[in-house]
CSV table of all heavy atoms in Angstrom, one decimal:
chain,number,residue,atom,x,y,z
A,1,VAL,N,0.8,-1.2,0.0
A,1,VAL,CA,0.0,0.0,0.0
A,1,VAL,C,0.9,1.3,0.0
A,1,VAL,O,0.4,2.3,-0.5
A,1,VAL,CB,-1.0,0.0,1.2
A,1,VAL,CG1,-0.2,0.2,2.5
A,1,VAL,CG2,-2.1,1.0,1.0
A,2,ALA,N,2.1,1.2,0.5
A,2,ALA,CA,3.0,2.3,0.5
A,2,ALA,C,3.3,2.8,-0.9
A,2,ALA,O,3.4,4.0,-1.1
A,2,ALA,CB,4.3,2.0,1.2
A,3,ASP,N,3.3,1.9,-1.8
A,3,ASP,CA,3.6,2.3,-3.2
A,3,ASP,C,2.4,3.0,-3.8
A,3,ASP,O,2.6,3.9,-4.7
A,3,ASP,CB,3.9,1.0,-4.0
A,3,ASP,CG,5.2,0.3,-3.6
A,3,ASP,OD1,6.3,0.8,-3.9
A,3,ASP,OD2,5.1,-0.7,-2.9
A,4,ILE,N,1.2,2.7,-3.4
A,4,ILE,CA,0.0,3.5,-3.9
A,4,ILE,C,0.1,4.9,-3.4
A,4,ILE,O,-0.2,5.9,-4.1
A,4,ILE,CB,-1.3,2.9,-3.4
A,4,ILE,CG1,-1.5,1.5,-4.0
A,4,ILE,CG2,-2.5,3.8,-3.7
A,4,ILE,CD1,-2.7,0.8,-3.5
A,5,MET,N,0.6,5.1,-2.2
A,5,MET,CA,0.8,6.5,-1.6
A,5,MET,C,1.9,7.3,-2.3
A,5,MET,O,1.7,8.5,-2.4
A,5,MET,CB,1.0,6.4,-0.1
A,5,MET,CG,-0.1,5.9,0.7
A,5,MET,SD,-1.6,6.9,0.6
A,5,MET,CE,-0.9,8.4,1.5
A,6,THR,N,2.9,6.6,-2.7
A,6,THR,CA,4.1,7.4,-3.2
A,6,THR,C,4.3,7.4,-4.7
A,6,THR,O,4.9,8.3,-5.2
A,6,THR,CB,5.4,6.8,-2.5
A,6,THR,OG1,5.5,5.4,-2.8
A,6,THR,CG2,5.4,7.0,-1.0
A,7,GLU,N,3.8,6.4,-5.4
A,7,GLU,CA,4.0,6.4,-6.9
A,7,GLU,C,2.9,7.1,-7.6
A,7,GLU,O,1.8,7.1,-7.3
A,7,GLU,CB,4.0,4.9,-7.4
A,7,GLU,CG,5.2,4.1,-6.9
A,7,GLU,CD,5.2,2.7,-7.4
A,7,GLU,OE1,4.4,2.4,-8.3
A,7,GLU,OE2,6.1,1.9,-7.0
A,8,LYS,N,3.3,7.9,-8.6
A,8,LYS,CA,2.4,8.7,-9.3
A,8,LYS,C,1.4,7.9,-10.1
A,8,LYS,O,0.2,8.2,-10.2
A,8,LYS,CB,3.2,9.7,-10.3
A,8,LYS,CG,2.3,10.7,-10.9
A,8,LYS,CD,3.1,11.7,-11.7
A,8,LYS,CE,2.1,12.8,-12.3
A,8,LYS,NZ,2.9,13.9,-13.0
A,9,SER,N,1.8,6.8,-10.7
A,9,SER,CA,1.0,5.9,-11.5
A,9,SER,C,1.2,4.5,-11.1
A,9,SER,O,1.9,3.7,-11.8
A,9,SER,CB,1.2,6.1,-13.0
A,9,SER,OG,0.9,7.4,-13.4
A,10,PRO,N,0.8,4.1,-9.9
A,10,PRO,CA,1.1,2.7,-9.4
A,10,PRO,C,0.5,1.6,-10.3
A,10,PRO,O,-0.6,1.8,-10.8
A,10,PRO,CB,0.5,2.7,-8.0
A,10,PRO,CG,-0.6,3.8,-8.0
A,10,PRO,CD,-0.1,4.8,-9.0
A,11,ASP,N,1.2,0.6,-10.5
A,11,ASP,CA,0.8,-0.6,-11.3
A,11,ASP,C,0.0,-1.5,-10.3
A,11,ASP,O,0.6,-2.3,-9.6
A,11,ASP,CB,1.9,-1.3,-11.9
A,11,ASP,CG,1.5,-2.4,-12.9
A,11,ASP,OD1,0.3,-2.8,-12.8
A,11,ASP,OD2,2.3,-2.9,-13.7
A,12,MET,N,-1.3,-1.4,-10.4
A,12,MET,CA,-2.1,-2.1,-9.4
A,12,MET,C,-2.0,-3.6,-9.6
A,12,MET,O,-2.1,-4.4,-8.6
A,12,MET,CB,-3.6,-1.7,-9.5
A,12,MET,CG,-3.8,-0.2,-9.2
A,12,MET,SD,-3.3,0.2,-7.5
A,12,MET,CE,-4.7,-0.5,-6.5
A,13,LYS,N,-1.7,-4.1,-10.8
A,13,LYS,CA,-1.6,-5.5,-11.0
A,13,LYS,C,-0.3,-6.1,-10.2
A,13,LYS,O,-0.3,-7.3,-9.9
A,13,LYS,CB,-1.5,-5.8,-12.5
A,13,LYS,CG,-2.8,-5.6,-13.2
A,13,LYS,CD,-2.6,-5.9,-14.7
A,13,LYS,CE,-3.9,-5.7,-15.4
A,13,LYS,NZ,-3.8,-6.1,-16.9
A,14,LYS,N,0.7,-5.2,-10.0
A,14,LYS,CA,1.9,-5.7,-9.3
A,14,LYS,C,1.7,-5.5,-7.8
A,14,LYS,O,2.5,-6.1,-7.0
A,14,LYS,CB,3.1,-4.9,-9.8
A,14,LYS,CG,3.5,-5.2,-11.2
A,14,LYS,CD,4.7,-4.4,-11.6
A,14,LYS,CE,5.2,-4.8,-13.0
A,14,LYS,NZ,6.4,-4.0,-13.5
A,15,ILE,N,0.7,-4.7,-7.4
A,15,ILE,CA,0.5,-4.4,-6.0
A,15,ILE,C,-0.5,-5.4,-5.4
A,15,ILE,O,-0.4,-5.9,-4.2
A,15,ILE,CB,0.1,-3.0,-5.8
A,15,ILE,CG1,1.2,-2.0,-6.2
A,15,ILE,CG2,-0.3,-2.7,-4.3
A,15,ILE,CD1,0.8,-0.6,-6.2
A,16,ILE,N,-1.6,-5.7,-6.1
A,16,ILE,CA,-2.6,-6.6,-5.6
A,16,ILE,C,-2.1,-8.1,-5.6
A,16,ILE,O,-1.5,-8.5,-6.6
A,16,ILE,CB,-3.9,-6.5,-6.5
A,16,ILE,CG1,-4.5,-5.1,-6.3
A,16,ILE,CG2,-4.9,-7.6,-6.1
A,16,ILE,CD1,-5.6,-4.8,-7.3
A,17,MET,N,-2.3,-8.8,-4.5
A,17,MET,CA,-1.9,-10.1,-4.4
A,17,MET,C,-3.1,-11.1,-4.2
A,17,MET,O,-4.0,-10.7,-3.4
A,17,MET,CB,-0.9,-10.3,-3.2
A,17,MET,CG,0.3,-9.4,-3.3
A,17,MET,SD,1.4,-9.6,-1.9
A,17,MET,CE,2.0,-11.2,-2.2
A,18,PRO,N,-3.1,-12.2,-4.8
A,18,PRO,CA,-4.2,-13.2,-4.5
A,18,PRO,C,-4.0,-13.8,-3.2
A,18,PRO,O,-2.9,-14.0,-2.7
A,18,PRO,CB,-4.0,-14.2,-5.7
A,18,PRO,CG,-2.5,-14.2,-6.0
A,18,PRO,CD,-2.1,-12.7,-5.8
A,19,THR,N,-5.1,-14.2,-2.5
A,19,THR,CA,-5.0,-15.0,-1.3
A,19,THR,C,-5.4,-16.4,-1.7
A,19,THR,O,-5.6,-16.7,-2.9
A,19,THR,CB,-6.0,-14.5,-0.3
A,19,THR,OG1,-7.4,-14.8,-0.7
A,19,THR,CG2,-5.9,-13.0,0.0
A,20,GLN,N,-5.5,-17.3,-0.7
A,20,GLN,CA,-5.8,-18.7,-0.9
A,20,GLN,C,-7.3,-18.8,-1.3
A,20,GLN,O,-7.8,-19.9,-1.6
A,20,GLN,CB,-5.5,-19.6,0.2
A,20,GLN,CG,-6.1,-19.2,1.6
A,20,GLN,CD,-5.3,-18.3,2.4
A,20,GLN,OE1,-4.8,-17.3,2.0
A,20,GLN,NE2,-5.1,-18.7,3.7
A,21,TYR,N,-8.1,-17.7,-1.2
A,21,TYR,CA,-9.5,-17.8,-1.4
A,21,TYR,C,-9.8,-17.2,-2.8
A,21,TYR,O,-9.3,-16.1,-3.1
A,21,TYR,CB,-10.3,-17.0,-0.3
A,21,TYR,CG,-9.9,-17.5,1.0
A,21,TYR,CD1,-9.0,-16.9,1.9
A,21,TYR,CD2,-10.5,-18.7,1.5
A,21,TYR,CE1,-8.7,-17.4,3.1
A,21,TYR,CE2,-10.1,-19.3,2.7
A,21,TYR,CZ,-9.2,-18.6,3.5
A,21,TYR,OH,-8.9,-19.1,4.8
A,22,GLU,N,-10.6,-17.8,-3.6
A,22,GLU,CA,-10.7,-17.5,-5.0
A,22,GLU,C,-11.2,-16.1,-5.3
A,22,GLU,O,-10.6,-15.5,-6.2
A,22,GLU,CB,-11.7,-18.5,-5.6
A,22,GLU,CG,-11.9,-18.3,-7.1
A,22,GLU,CD,-12.9,-19.3,-7.8
A,22,GLU,OE1,-13.5,-20.1,-7.0
A,22,GLU,OE2,-13.1,-19.2,-9.0
A,23,TYR,N,-12.1,-15.6,-4.6
A,23,TYR,CA,-12.7,-14.3,-4.9
A,23,TYR,C,-12.1,-13.2,-4.0
A,23,TYR,O,-12.6,-12.1,-4.0
A,23,TYR,CB,-14.2,-14.3,-4.7
A,23,TYR,CG,-14.9,-15.2,-5.7
A,23,TYR,CD1,-15.7,-16.2,-5.2
A,23,TYR,CD2,-14.7,-15.0,-7.0
A,23,TYR,CE1,-16.4,-17.1,-6.1
A,23,TYR,CE2,-15.4,-15.8,-8.0
A,23,TYR,CZ,-16.2,-16.8,-7.5
A,23,TYR,OH,-16.8,-17.7,-8.4
A,24,LEU,N,-11.0,-13.4,-3.3
A,24,LEU,CA,-10.5,-12.5,-2.3
A,24,LEU,C,-9.0,-12.2,-2.6
A,24,LEU,O,-8.2,-13.1,-2.6
A,24,LEU,CB,-10.6,-13.0,-0.9
A,24,LEU,CG,-10.0,-12.1,0.3
A,24,LEU,CD1,-10.7,-10.8,0.3
A,24,LEU,CD2,-10.3,-12.8,1.6
A,25,ASP,N,-8.7,-10.9,-2.9
A,25,ASP,CA,-7.4,-10.4,-3.1
A,25,ASP,C,-7.0,-9.4,-2.0
A,25,ASP,O,-7.8,-8.9,-1.3
A,25,ASP,CB,-7.3,-9.7,-4.5
A,25,ASP,CG,-7.4,-10.7,-5.7
A,25,ASP,OD1,-7.2,-11.9,-5.5
A,25,ASP,OD2,-7.8,-10.3,-6.8
A,26,LEU,N,-5.7,-9.1,-1.9
A,26,LEU,CA,-5.2,-8.3,-0.8
A,26,LEU,C,-4.1,-7.4,-1.3
A,26,LEU,O,-3.3,-7.7,-2.2
A,26,LEU,CB,-4.6,-9.3,0.2
A,26,LEU,CG,-3.8,-8.7,1.4
A,26,LEU,CD1,-4.8,-7.9,2.3
A,26,LEU,CD2,-3.1,-9.7,2.2
A,27,ILE,N,-4.1,-6.2,-0.8
A,27,ILE,CA,-3.0,-5.2,-0.9
A,27,ILE,C,-2.4,-5.2,0.5
A,27,ILE,O,-3.1,-4.8,1.5
A,27,ILE,CB,-3.5,-3.8,-1.3
A,27,ILE,CG1,-4.0,-3.9,-2.7
A,27,ILE,CG2,-2.3,-2.8,-1.2
A,27,ILE,CD1,-4.6,-2.5,-3.2
A,28,THR,N,-1.1,-5.5,0.6
A,28,THR,CA,-0.5,-5.7,1.9
A,28,THR,C,0.1,-4.4,2.4
A,28,THR,O,0.1,-3.4,1.7
A,28,THR,CB,0.7,-6.7,1.8
A,28,THR,OG1,1.7,-6.2,0.9
A,28,THR,CG2,0.2,-8.0,1.3
A,29,ALA,N,0.5,-4.4,3.7
A,29,ALA,CA,1.1,-3.2,4.3
A,29,ALA,C,2.3,-3.7,5.2
A,29,ALA,O,2.3,-4.9,5.6
A,29,ALA,CB,0.1,-2.5,5.1
A,30,ASN,N,3.2,-2.8,5.4
A,30,ASN,CA,4.3,-3.1,6.4
A,30,ASN,C,4.8,-1.7,6.9
A,30,ASN,O,4.1,-0.7,6.6
A,30,ASN,CB,5.4,-3.9,5.7
A,30,ASN,CG,5.9,-3.2,4.4
A,30,ASN,OD1,6.2,-2.0,4.4
A,30,ASN,ND2,6.0,-4.0,3.3
A,31,MET,N,5.9,-1.7,7.6
A,31,MET,CA,6.3,-0.4,8.2
A,31,MET,C,6.8,0.6,7.2
A,31,MET,O,6.9,1.8,7.5
A,31,MET,CB,7.5,-0.7,9.1
A,31,MET,CG,7.1,-1.4,10.4
A,31,MET,SD,6.1,-0.3,11.5
A,31,MET,CE,5.7,-1.3,12.8
A,32,SER,N,6.9,0.2,5.9
A,32,SER,CA,7.2,1.2,4.9
A,32,SER,C,6.1,2.2,4.7
A,32,SER,O,6.3,3.4,4.3
A,32,SER,CB,7.3,0.5,3.5
A,32,SER,OG,8.4,-0.4,3.5
């Protein structure tokens, strides 16, 4: 999610991650 805040045109396909559940995806966070 930090990249969404800082990049002018974030590539959402590279930021969104699939979970083990078919219809549920995740954008992660960390101390960044």
Side-chain angles (χ1 to χ4, degrees):
V1 71
D3 296 283
I4 297 178
M5 291 297 293
T6 55
E7 293 183 6
K8 188 171 184 179
S9 299
D11 186 343
M12 297 300 284
K13 290 183 179 180
K14 292 183 179 179
I15 296 173
I16 295 171
M17 302 181 67
T19 70
Q20 60 267 51
Y21 305 101
E22 182 179 3
Y23 295 123
L24 178 57
D25 292 338
L26 175 69
I27 295 176
T28 64
N30 54 49
M31 286 293 175
S32 299

